[in-house]
Amino acid sequence: MQPKSLQWPAVHATAPSARGKAKPASRQGQPKPKLGALPEWNLKDLYSAPDAPALKADLEASERAAEAMQQNYAGKLAALADGGNGGKALAKAVREYEALSDLMGRIVSYASLLYAADTSDPARQKFFGDIQEKITTISSKLLFFPLELNRLDDKVLEAAMEDPELGHYRPWLEDLRKEKPYQLEDRLEQLFHEKAVTGRGAWNRLFSETMTALRFDADGEKLSLEPILNRLLDQDETRRRQAAEALARVFKDNVRLFTLITNTLAKDKEISDRWRGFADVADSRHLANRVEKEVVDALVAAVREAYPRLSHRYYALKAKWLGKKRLAYWDRNAPLPEEPTQSIGWDAAQKTVLKAYGDFSPRMAAVAGEFFAKRWIDAPVREGKSPGAFSHPTVPSAHPYILLNYQGKPRDVMTLAHELGHGVHQVLANAQGPLMAPTPLTLAETASVFGEMLTFRALLESAPSKRERKALLASKVEDMINTVVRQIAFYSFERKVHTERREGELTSERLGEIWLEVQSESLGPAIDFKTGYENFWVYIPHFIHSPFYVYAYAFGDCLVNSLYAVYEKADKGFADRYLDMLAAGGTKHHTELLKPFGLDATDPKFWSMGLKVVEGLIGELEAMDA
């Protein structure tokens, strides 16, 4: 595997495809909603332009520093560690490696964000590709460092860590040692690393650029992915149906290409897993998430067992509300008649989220406020812009950036709250430095979902009528189903695909069959899967970019439900303990982080606690109809 320290800053994404948060577009012929001035991010905190002298200088400095590290330390770490001053000598080397990781991460982050803002621009495509190649070439000179550290004798490293300077890096070094059993010989690691640009990286880029270029003909308009997904939440059922049929047509026309991408990447992963010695198709993800397979298996089992009490029960209730025996798949996320139709301006969204954050913790609101004040957010919908939303941590020497596609609906406000949760987490964790700030995906989703929960509870308390309270509750239940039930169904889909791929290629038809199997099981008999839905697996980016990422959403949502229950009964110290948990970054295992709250994710009953919160909200909705 690519050593964790050389995995460049990850994008914590909230795509509409992943969490069901498609956002309604304005009606044709009607004025666009008045949202106010939407911010566009200022990337000058990273670099002023792709041809900026500072960026060129940093690339050259990175190359020189990598060559110097290779010359000074390659093949010498064992001798350094075993010397009289081993702890201090190793600590100096780790600090150099850390500084270089931050510098190269800054360059990659800038290229990634510039590309995400307009993936259709040929100049940005080239810049992004060129930077990827250059950084891969430079970083290949550093591969020796984590590999050699892992070959150090345990007793020698333990003795060296008694020195406080090296002891500071204990969490990172212990994390690194967990990868030791799956580590290959240095030349093989270098080959895997360098070929990533023309292998997995190239297929990822092909997926992204193809998806961005697709156009969907709906009601006489040619729409890109984001706006057509938005229409699945339109008040007008005819427009929802037209949008779904347009999606189905285009997906069918392009399914051969997406089938090839899926088969190729699944095989690529199988080759890597086989060489490294991973037994299960998801083991590498569990290792990266620093979570035990048994914990994930318990989560999956608990959610699947709860399908009838959650999604099956809710969609039967919604079908009754909409006067239908069954919901067509395009009606699954349809707005209720009670849902407010007015648009929420950007200023109002900002005030809503910051007030919810501030009522919980003024410090949390102050950190979140910087994103607005300093233009760390890119909010407008634009042609060529990446769909969905994400918070990119960049590097500790800089700050995170948030991408949204804001259109003024309540779910857009919740998405803003979600991504700001990531952003606050990333800012607080930056104090741990480049090697220890990154957080496993399972815990990274905790802060974002908690931010959503704070905002939801604030909106619910201020709901002016029973009708609006019902709409808010229903919207939250749907988000929870999309975050928990749907993500575990996606995880089941991936497991089946990757397992079968080990026996040979999967046809488009077979992929569609697996998709319908898991969707039918998870969503239940109240959903009518019309012809065309069998190809809706093609547009979910997590399957391509981050295999088995999806269970992290369910992990985070269930964890937050339990955490919020503790908060409601806790003393005034809860907020400080919560922010301390975020500030720990990647320095602690989930068992250590949750201990101050009396929670334990290894307890099989833990997941049932979180799921009962969703059941309770559905029960409240049922009571409103009584």
Short mmCIF file of all heavy atoms in Angstrom, two decimals, residues 296-353:
data_model
loop_
_atom_site.label_atom_id
_atom_site.label_comp_id
_atom_site.label_asym_id
_atom_site.label_seq_id
_atom_site.Cartn_x
_atom_site.Cartn_y
_atom_site.Cartn_z
N VAL A 296 -16.89 -3.32 12.08
CA VAL A 296 -17.65 -3.01 10.86
C VAL A 296 -18.70 -4.07 10.60
O VAL A 296 -19.85 -3.76 10.25
CB VAL A 296 -16.70 -2.87 9.65
CG1 VAL A 296 -17.50 -2.59 8.38
CG2 VAL A 296 -15.69 -1.75 9.89
N ASP A 297 -18.34 -5.33 10.78
CA ASP A 297 -19.30 -6.42 10.57
C ASP A 297 -20.50 -6.27 11.50
O ASP A 297 -21.65 -6.52 11.11
CB ASP A 297 -18.63 -7.77 10.79
CG ASP A 297 -17.66 -8.14 9.67
OD1 ASP A 297 -17.69 -7.48 8.62
OD2 ASP A 297 -16.87 -9.09 9.87
N ALA A 298 -20.24 -5.86 12.74
CA ALA A 298 -21.33 -5.67 13.70
C ALA A 298 -22.24 -4.52 13.28
O ALA A 298 -23.47 -4.60 13.40
CB ALA A 298 -20.77 -5.42 15.10
N LEU A 299 -21.63 -3.44 12.78
CA LEU A 299 -22.41 -2.31 12.27
C LEU A 299 -23.30 -2.75 11.11
O LEU A 299 -24.50 -2.47 11.09
CB LEU A 299 -21.46 -1.20 11.81
CG LEU A 299 -22.06 -0.10 10.92
CD1 LEU A 299 -23.12 0.70 11.68
CD2 LEU A 299 -20.96 0.82 10.40
N VAL A 300 -22.71 -3.45 10.14
CA VAL A 300 -23.45 -3.89 8.96
C VAL A 300 -24.60 -4.81 9.37
O VAL A 300 -25.74 -4.65 8.89
CB VAL A 300 -22.51 -4.60 7.97
CG1 VAL A 300 -23.30 -5.22 6.82
CG2 VAL A 300 -21.48 -3.61 7.41
N ALA A 301 -24.33 -5.75 10.25
CA ALA A 301 -25.37 -6.69 10.69
C ALA A 301 -26.51 -5.97 11.39
O ALA A 301 -27.69 -6.27 11.17
CB ALA A 301 -24.76 -7.75 11.61
N ALA A 302 -26.17 -5.00 12.23
CA ALA A 302 -27.20 -4.26 12.97
C ALA A 302 -28.08 -3.45 12.02
O ALA A 302 -29.30 -3.41 12.18
CB ALA A 302 -26.54 -3.33 13.99
N VAL A 303 -27.46 -2.80 11.04
CA VAL A 303 -28.25 -1.99 10.10
C VAL A 303 -29.12 -2.87 9.22
O VAL A 303 -30.31 -2.58 9.03
CB VAL A 303 -27.32 -1.10 9.24
CG1 VAL A 303 -28.13 -0.36 8.17
CG2 VAL A 303 -26.57 -0.09 10.12
N ARG A 304 -28.57 -3.94 8.69
CA ARG A 304 -29.37 -4.82 7.82
C ARG A 304 -30.54 -5.43 8.59
O ARG A 304 -31.65 -5.56 8.06
CB ARG A 304 -28.48 -5.91 7.22
CG ARG A 304 -27.47 -5.38 6.21
CD ARG A 304 -26.66 -6.48 5.58
NE ARG A 304 -27.47 -7.34 4.72
CZ ARG A 304 -27.00 -8.39 4.06
NH1 ARG A 304 -25.71 -8.71 4.16
NH2 ARG A 304 -27.79 -9.12 3.30
N GLU A 305 -30.30 -5.77 9.85
CA GLU A 305 -31.37 -6.34 10.66
C GLU A 305 -32.46 -5.30 10.91
O GLU A 305 -33.65 -5.65 11.10
CB GLU A 305 -30.78 -6.82 11.98
CG GLU A 305 -31.70 -7.71 12.81
CD GLU A 305 -32.57 -6.90 13.77
OE1 GLU A 305 -32.12 -5.79 14.16
OE2 GLU A 305 -33.66 -7.37 14.11
N ALA A 306 -32.08 -4.02 10.88
CA ALA A 306 -33.04 -2.94 11.16
C ALA A 306 -33.75 -2.42 9.91
O ALA A 306 -34.62 -1.55 10.03
CB ALA A 306 -32.32 -1.79 11.86
N TYR A 307 -33.38 -2.90 8.72
CA TYR A 307 -34.04 -2.40 7.50
C TYR A 307 -35.56 -2.32 7.63
O TYR A 307 -36.17 -1.29 7.31
CB TYR A 307 -33.69 -3.28 6.30
CG TYR A 307 -32.31 -3.10 5.71
CD1 TYR A 307 -31.81 -4.05 4.80
CD2 TYR A 307 -31.50 -2.01 6.01
CE1 TYR A 307 -30.55 -3.92 4.23
CE2 TYR A 307 -30.23 -1.88 5.45
CZ TYR A 307 -29.77 -2.83 4.56
OH TYR A 307 -28.53 -2.70 3.98
N PRO A 308 -36.24 -3.40 8.08
CA PRO A 308 -37.72 -3.34 8.15
C PRO A 308 -38.23 -2.26 9.08
O PRO A 308 -39.29 -1.67 8.85
CB PRO A 308 -38.10 -4.74 8.65
CG PRO A 308 -36.96 -5.62 8.26
CD PRO A 308 -35.74 -4.75 8.42
N ARG A 309 -37.48 -1.97 10.18
CA ARG A 309 -37.93 -0.98 11.16
C ARG A 309 -37.57 0.45 10.74
O ARG A 309 -38.08 1.41 11.35
CB ARG A 309 -37.32 -1.28 12.53
CG ARG A 309 -37.60 -2.68 13.05
CD ARG A 309 -37.23 -2.82 14.52
NE ARG A 309 -35.84 -2.47 14.79
CZ ARG A 309 -34.80 -3.32 14.64
NH1 ARG A 309 -35.02 -4.55 14.20
NH2 ARG A 309 -33.57 -2.94 14.92
N LEU A 310 -36.70 0.57 9.76
CA LEU A 310 -36.24 1.90 9.33
C LEU A 310 -36.79 2.24 7.95
O LEU A 310 -37.87 2.81 7.83
CB LEU A 310 -34.71 1.96 9.35
CG LEU A 310 -34.02 1.67 10.69
CD1 LEU A 310 -32.51 1.72 10.53
CD2 LEU A 310 -34.47 2.67 11.75
N SER A 311 -36.06 1.87 6.91
CA SER A 311 -36.43 2.27 5.56
C SER A 311 -37.75 1.67 5.10
O SER A 311 -38.60 2.38 4.54
CB SER A 311 -35.32 1.90 4.58
OG SER A 311 -34.86 0.59 4.82
N HIS A 312 -37.96 0.36 5.31
CA HIS A 312 -39.20 -0.27 4.87
C HIS A 312 -40.41 0.43 5.52
O HIS A 312 -41.41 0.73 4.86
CB HIS A 312 -39.22 -1.75 5.26
CG HIS A 312 -38.15 -2.56 4.61
ND1 HIS A 312 -38.12 -3.93 4.65
CD2 HIS A 312 -37.03 -2.21 3.91
CE1 HIS A 312 -37.06 -4.39 4.01
NE2 HIS A 312 -36.38 -3.35 3.57
N ARG A 313 -40.28 0.68 6.80
CA ARG A 313 -41.37 1.31 7.57
C ARG A 313 -41.60 2.75 7.11
O ARG A 313 -42.75 3.18 6.91
CB ARG A 313 -40.98 1.26 9.04
CG ARG A 313 -41.91 1.93 10.02
CD ARG A 313 -41.26 1.82 11.39
NE ARG A 313 -41.91 2.59 12.43
CZ ARG A 313 -41.33 2.89 13.59
NH1 ARG A 313 -40.08 2.49 13.84
NH2 ARG A 313 -41.98 3.61 14.50
N TYR A 314 -40.51 3.50 6.92
CA TYR A 314 -40.66 4.91 6.57
C TYR A 314 -41.24 5.08 5.16
O TYR A 314 -42.14 5.91 4.95
CB TYR A 314 -39.32 5.65 6.67
CG TYR A 314 -39.46 7.07 6.18
CD1 TYR A 314 -40.08 8.03 6.98
CD2 TYR A 314 -39.05 7.44 4.91
CE1 TYR A 314 -40.27 9.33 6.54
CE2 TYR A 314 -39.23 8.74 4.45
CZ TYR A 314 -39.84 9.68 5.26
OH TYR A 314 -40.04 10.96 4.81
N TYR A 315 -40.73 4.31 4.19
CA TYR A 315 -41.22 4.50 2.82
C TYR A 315 -42.68 4.06 2.66
O TYR A 315 -43.41 4.63 1.84
CB TYR A 315 -40.30 3.79 1.82
CG TYR A 315 -38.95 4.44 1.71
CD1 TYR A 315 -37.77 3.70 1.83
CD2 TYR A 315 -38.83 5.82 1.53
CE1 TYR A 315 -36.53 4.31 1.75
CE2 TYR A 315 -37.59 6.44 1.46
CZ TYR A 315 -36.45 5.68 1.56
OH TYR A 315 -35.22 6.29 1.49
N ALA A 316 -43.13 3.10 3.44
CA ALA A 316 -44.56 2.74 3.44
C ALA A 316 -45.38 3.91 3.97
O ALA A 316 -46.46 4.22 3.45
CB ALA A 316 -44.79 1.50 4.29
N LEU A 317 -44.83 4.58 5.00
CA LEU A 317 -45.50 5.76 5.56
C LEU A 317 -45.53 6.90 4.54
O LEU A 317 -46.58 7.55 4.35
CB LEU A 317 -44.75 6.19 6.82
CG LEU A 317 -45.33 7.32 7.67
CD1 LEU A 317 -46.69 6.93 8.23
CD2 LEU A 317 -44.35 7.65 8.81
N LYS A 318 -44.43 7.10 3.85
CA LYS A 318 -44.37 8.19 2.86
C LYS A 318 -45.30 7.92 1.68
O LYS A 318 -45.93 8.85 1.15
CB LYS A 318 -42.94 8.39 2.38
CG LYS A 318 -42.79 9.59 1.44
CD LYS A 318 -41.34 9.93 1.18
CE LYS A 318 -41.24 11.20 0.34
NZ LYS A 318 -39.85 11.63 0.11
N ALA A 319 -45.38 6.66 1.25
CA ALA A 319 -46.29 6.32 0.16
C ALA A 319 -47.72 6.70 0.54
O ALA A 319 -48.48 7.25 -0.27
CB ALA A 319 -46.19 4.83 -0.17
N LYS A 320 -48.08 6.45 1.79
CA LYS A 320 -49.43 6.81 2.26
C LYS A 320 -49.61 8.32 2.23
O LYS A 320 -50.66 8.81 1.80
CB LYS A 320 -49.63 6.27 3.68
CG LYS A 320 -51.04 6.50 4.23
CD LYS A 320 -51.17 5.94 5.64
CE LYS A 320 -50.48 6.85 6.63
NZ LYS A 320 -50.75 6.46 8.04
N TRP A 321 -48.59 9.07 2.65
CA TRP A 321 -48.69 10.53 2.63
C TRP A 321 -48.92 11.06 1.22
O TRP A 321 -49.63 12.03 1.02
CB TRP A 321 -47.40 11.15 3.18
CG TRP A 321 -47.18 10.97 4.64
CD1 TRP A 321 -48.13 10.70 5.60
CD2 TRP A 321 -45.93 11.03 5.32
NE1 TRP A 321 -47.55 10.60 6.84
CE2 TRP A 321 -46.19 10.80 6.70
CE3 TRP A 321 -44.62 11.25 4.92
CZ2 TRP A 321 -45.19 10.80 7.65
CZ3 TRP A 321 -43.61 11.25 5.86
CH2 TRP A 321 -43.89 11.02 7.22
N LEU A 322 -48.25 10.42 0.25
CA LEU A 322 -48.36 10.89 -1.14
C LEU A 322 -49.52 10.25 -1.90
O LEU A 322 -49.67 10.45 -3.10
CB LEU A 322 -47.04 10.64 -1.88
CG LEU A 322 -45.80 11.37 -1.33
CD1 LEU A 322 -44.57 11.06 -2.17
CD2 LEU A 322 -46.03 12.88 -1.26
N GLY A 323 -50.32 9.45 -1.18
CA GLY A 323 -51.50 8.85 -1.80
C GLY A 323 -51.18 7.76 -2.80
O GLY A 323 -51.90 7.57 -3.80
N LYS A 324 -50.13 6.98 -2.55
CA LYS A 324 -49.70 5.93 -3.47
C LYS A 324 -49.60 4.60 -2.74
O LYS A 324 -49.33 4.56 -1.54
CB LYS A 324 -48.35 6.28 -4.10
CG LYS A 324 -48.33 7.56 -4.92
CD LYS A 324 -46.92 7.89 -5.37
CE LYS A 324 -46.88 9.19 -6.18
NZ LYS A 324 -47.56 9.04 -7.48
N LYS A 325 -49.79 3.51 -3.49
CA LYS A 325 -49.56 2.19 -2.91
C LYS A 325 -48.06 1.92 -2.80
O LYS A 325 -47.61 1.32 -1.82
CB LYS A 325 -50.23 1.12 -3.79
CG LYS A 325 -51.75 1.13 -3.74
CD LYS A 325 -52.33 -0.02 -4.56
CE LYS A 325 -53.85 -0.02 -4.48
NZ LYS A 325 -54.43 -1.14 -5.28
N ARG A 326 -47.32 2.33 -3.81
CA ARG A 326 -45.86 2.18 -3.81
C ARG A 326 -45.25 3.45 -4.39
O ARG A 326 -45.88 4.13 -5.21
CB ARG A 326 -45.41 0.97 -4.64
CG ARG A 326 -45.95 -0.37 -4.15
CD ARG A 326 -45.51 -1.49 -5.07
NE ARG A 326 -44.10 -1.80 -4.90
CZ ARG A 326 -43.36 -2.44 -5.83
NH1 ARG A 326 -43.90 -2.77 -7.00
NH2 ARG A 326 -42.10 -2.72 -5.59
N LEU A 327 -44.02 3.75 -3.98
CA LEU A 327 -43.31 4.93 -4.48
C LEU A 327 -42.43 4.53 -5.66
O LEU A 327 -41.60 3.61 -5.53
CB LEU A 327 -42.42 5.52 -3.39
CG LEU A 327 -43.10 6.13 -2.17
CD1 LEU A 327 -42.03 6.48 -1.13
CD2 LEU A 327 -43.90 7.37 -2.55
N ALA A 328 -42.59 5.18 -6.80
CA ALA A 328 -41.60 5.04 -7.87
C ALA A 328 -40.26 5.53 -7.33
O ALA A 328 -40.22 6.42 -6.46
CB ALA A 328 -42.01 5.84 -9.09
N TYR A 329 -39.17 4.98 -7.83
CA TYR A 329 -37.87 5.34 -7.24
C TYR A 329 -37.61 6.84 -7.32
O TYR A 329 -36.89 7.39 -6.50
CB TYR A 329 -36.74 4.53 -7.87
CG TYR A 329 -36.38 4.89 -9.30
CD1 TYR A 329 -35.52 5.94 -9.59
CD2 TYR A 329 -36.89 4.16 -10.38
CE1 TYR A 329 -35.18 6.26 -10.89
CE2 TYR A 329 -36.55 4.46 -11.68
CZ TYR A 329 -35.70 5.52 -11.94
OH TYR A 329 -35.37 5.82 -13.24
N TRP A 330 -38.22 7.53 -8.30
CA TRP A 330 -38.00 8.97 -8.40
C TRP A 330 -38.83 9.75 -7.37
O TRP A 330 -38.67 10.95 -7.23
CB TRP A 330 -38.29 9.48 -9.80
CG TRP A 330 -39.64 9.11 -10.35
CD1 TRP A 330 -40.85 9.64 -10.02
CD2 TRP A 330 -39.90 8.12 -11.35
NE1 TRP A 330 -41.85 9.05 -10.74
CE2 TRP A 330 -41.30 8.10 -11.59
CE3 TRP A 330 -39.10 7.23 -12.08
CZ2 TRP A 330 -41.91 7.25 -12.50
CZ3 TRP A 330 -39.71 6.38 -13.00
CH2 TRP A 330 -41.10 6.39 -13.20
N ASP A 331 -39.72 9.06 -6.66
CA ASP A 331 -40.49 9.71 -5.60
C ASP A 331 -39.90 9.46 -4.22
O ASP A 331 -40.41 9.98 -3.21
CB ASP A 331 -41.94 9.20 -5.60
CG ASP A 331 -42.72 9.66 -6.83
OD1 ASP A 331 -42.41 10.75 -7.35
OD2 ASP A 331 -43.63 8.93 -7.26
N ARG A 332 -38.83 8.68 -4.15
CA ARG A 332 -38.29 8.29 -2.85
C ARG A 332 -37.89 9.50 -2.01
O ARG A 332 -38.12 9.56 -0.81
CB ARG A 332 -37.09 7.36 -3.05
CG ARG A 332 -36.57 6.74 -1.77
CD ARG A 332 -35.47 5.72 -2.06
NE ARG A 332 -34.31 6.34 -2.67
CZ ARG A 332 -33.35 6.97 -1.99
NH1 ARG A 332 -33.42 7.05 -0.67
NH2 ARG A 332 -32.33 7.49 -2.61
N ASN A 333 -37.25 10.49 -2.64
CA ASN A 333 -36.83 11.70 -1.93
C ASN A 333 -37.70 12.90 -2.27
O ASN A 333 -37.28 14.05 -2.08
CB ASN A 333 -35.37 12.01 -2.24
CG ASN A 333 -34.41 11.07 -1.54
OD1 ASN A 333 -34.62 10.72 -0.39
ND2 ASN A 333 -33.37 10.64 -2.24
N ALA A 334 -38.90 12.65 -2.79
CA ALA A 334 -39.79 13.75 -3.14
C ALA A 334 -40.12 14.58 -1.91
O ALA A 334 -40.30 14.04 -0.82
CB ALA A 334 -41.08 13.20 -3.76
N PRO A 335 -40.23 15.90 -2.08
CA PRO A 335 -40.60 16.73 -0.93
C PRO A 335 -42.05 16.49 -0.53
O PRO A 335 -42.90 16.19 -1.38
CB PRO A 335 -40.41 18.16 -1.46
CG PRO A 335 -40.53 18.04 -2.94
CD PRO A 335 -40.00 16.69 -3.30
N LEU A 336 -42.34 16.60 0.74
CA LEU A 336 -43.71 16.48 1.22
C LEU A 336 -44.46 17.78 0.92
O LEU A 336 -43.85 18.85 0.79
CB LEU A 336 -43.72 16.23 2.73
CG LEU A 336 -43.02 14.96 3.22
CD1 LEU A 336 -43.19 14.84 4.73
CD2 LEU A 336 -43.54 13.73 2.52
N PRO A 337 -45.79 17.69 0.85
CA PRO A 337 -46.56 18.92 0.65
C PRO A 337 -46.29 19.95 1.75
O PRO A 337 -46.39 21.16 1.52
CB PRO A 337 -48.01 18.43 0.71
CG PRO A 337 -47.94 16.99 0.31
CD PRO A 337 -46.64 16.49 0.85
N GLU A 338 -45.92 19.46 2.94
CA GLU A 338 -45.67 20.36 4.07
C GLU A 338 -44.33 21.10 3.95
O GLU A 338 -44.08 22.05 4.69
CB GLU A 338 -45.67 19.58 5.40
CG GLU A 338 -47.03 19.04 5.80
CD GLU A 338 -47.28 17.66 5.21
OE1 GLU A 338 -46.50 17.23 4.33
OE2 GLU A 338 -48.25 17.02 5.62
N GLU A 339 -43.45 20.62 3.07
CA GLU A 339 -42.10 21.19 3.02
C GLU A 339 -42.14 22.62 2.49
O GLU A 339 -42.73 22.89 1.44
CB GLU A 339 -41.18 20.34 2.13
CG GLU A 339 -39.74 20.80 2.15
CD GLU A 339 -38.80 19.78 1.53
OE1 GLU A 339 -38.90 18.59 1.87
OE2 GLU A 339 -37.98 20.18 0.70
N PRO A 340 -41.53 23.57 3.18
CA PRO A 340 -41.51 24.96 2.72
C PRO A 340 -40.86 25.06 1.34
O PRO A 340 -39.89 24.36 1.06
CB PRO A 340 -40.67 25.69 3.77
CG PRO A 340 -40.71 24.80 4.97
CD PRO A 340 -40.82 23.40 4.46
N THR A 341 -41.43 25.91 0.50
CA THR A 341 -40.91 26.04 -0.86
C THR A 341 -40.02 27.27 -1.04
O THR A 341 -39.42 27.44 -2.08
CB THR A 341 -42.06 26.11 -1.87
OG1 THR A 341 -42.92 27.21 -1.52
CG2 THR A 341 -42.87 24.83 -1.87
N GLN A 342 -39.97 28.12 -0.03
CA GLN A 342 -39.16 29.32 -0.19
C GLN A 342 -37.67 28.98 -0.19
O GLN A 342 -37.25 27.99 0.42
CB GLN A 342 -39.47 30.35 0.91
CG GLN A 342 -38.84 30.05 2.27
CD GLN A 342 -39.70 29.16 3.13
OE1 GLN A 342 -40.61 28.50 2.63
NE2 GLN A 342 -39.43 29.11 4.43
N SER A 343 -36.90 29.81 -0.87
CA SER A 343 -35.45 29.62 -0.89
C SER A 343 -34.82 30.29 0.32
O SER A 343 -35.29 31.32 0.80
CB SER A 343 -34.86 30.22 -2.17
OG SER A 343 -35.32 29.51 -3.30
N ILE A 344 -33.75 29.69 0.79
CA ILE A 344 -33.02 30.23 1.94
C ILE A 344 -31.77 30.91 1.41
O ILE A 344 -30.90 30.27 0.80
CB ILE A 344 -32.64 29.10 2.92
CG1 ILE A 344 -33.91 28.39 3.41
CG2 ILE A 344 -31.84 29.66 4.09
CD1 ILE A 344 -33.63 27.10 4.14
N GLY A 345 -31.69 32.20 1.60
CA GLY A 345 -30.54 32.96 1.12
C GLY A 345 -29.25 32.56 1.84
O GLY A 345 -29.29 31.97 2.93
N TRP A 346 -28.13 32.91 1.23
CA TRP A 346 -26.84 32.52 1.78
C TRP A 346 -26.62 33.12 3.17
O TRP A 346 -26.15 32.44 4.09
CB TRP A 346 -25.72 32.94 0.84
CG TRP A 346 -24.36 32.59 1.35
CD1 TRP A 346 -23.41 33.43 1.86
CD2 TRP A 346 -23.79 31.27 1.44
NE1 TRP A 346 -22.29 32.73 2.24
CE2 TRP A 346 -22.50 31.41 1.99
CE3 TRP A 346 -24.25 30.01 1.10
CZ2 TRP A 346 -21.66 30.32 2.21
CZ3 TRP A 346 -23.42 28.92 1.32
CH2 TRP A 346 -22.14 29.08 1.87
N ASP A 347 -26.99 34.40 3.36
CA ASP A 347 -26.79 35.03 4.67
C ASP A 347 -27.58 34.31 5.75
O ASP A 347 -27.10 34.11 6.87
CB ASP A 347 -27.19 36.50 4.60
CG ASP A 347 -26.18 37.35 3.83
OD1 ASP A 347 -25.07 36.85 3.59
OD2 ASP A 347 -26.51 38.49 3.49
N ALA A 348 -28.83 33.93 5.40
CA ALA A 348 -29.67 33.23 6.38
C ALA A 348 -29.10 31.86 6.70
O ALA A 348 -29.12 31.42 7.87
CB ALA A 348 -31.09 33.09 5.84
N ALA A 349 -28.57 31.16 5.68
CA ALA A 349 -27.96 29.85 5.92
C ALA A 349 -26.76 29.99 6.84
O ALA A 349 -26.58 29.19 7.78
CB ALA A 349 -27.54 29.23 4.59
N GLN A 350 -25.93 31.00 6.59
CA GLN A 350 -24.75 31.24 7.42
C GLN A 350 -25.15 31.50 8.87
O GLN A 350 -24.59 30.90 9.80
CB GLN A 350 -23.97 32.43 6.88
CG GLN A 350 -22.78 32.84 7.73
CD GLN A 350 -22.03 34.03 7.15
OE1 GLN A 350 -22.14 34.33 5.97
NE2 GLN A 350 -21.27 34.72 7.99
N LYS A 351 -26.14 32.37 9.06
CA LYS A 351 -26.58 32.70 10.42
C LYS A 351 -27.16 31.47 11.13
O LYS A 351 -26.92 31.27 12.33
CB LYS A 351 -27.61 33.82 10.36
CG LYS A 351 -27.02 35.18 9.99
CD LYS A 351 -28.11 36.23 9.84
CE LYS A 351 -27.51 37.57 9.39
NZ LYS A 351 -28.57 38.57 9.11
N THR A 352 -27.93 30.67 10.39
CA THR A 352 -28.55 29.49 10.99
C THR A 352 -27.50 28.53 11.52
O THR A 352 -27.58 28.06 12.66
CB THR A 352 -29.44 28.78 9.95
OG1 THR A 352 -30.51 29.65 9.57
CG2 THR A 352 -30.02 27.49 10.52
N VAL A 353 -26.51 28.22 10.68
CA VAL A 353 -25.50 27.24 11.07
C VAL A 353 -24.60 27.79 12.17
O VAL A 353 -24.32 27.09 13.16
CB VAL A 353 -24.65 26.81 9.85
CG1 VAL A 353 -23.55 25.85 10.27
CG2 VAL A 353 -25.54 26.14 8.79
#
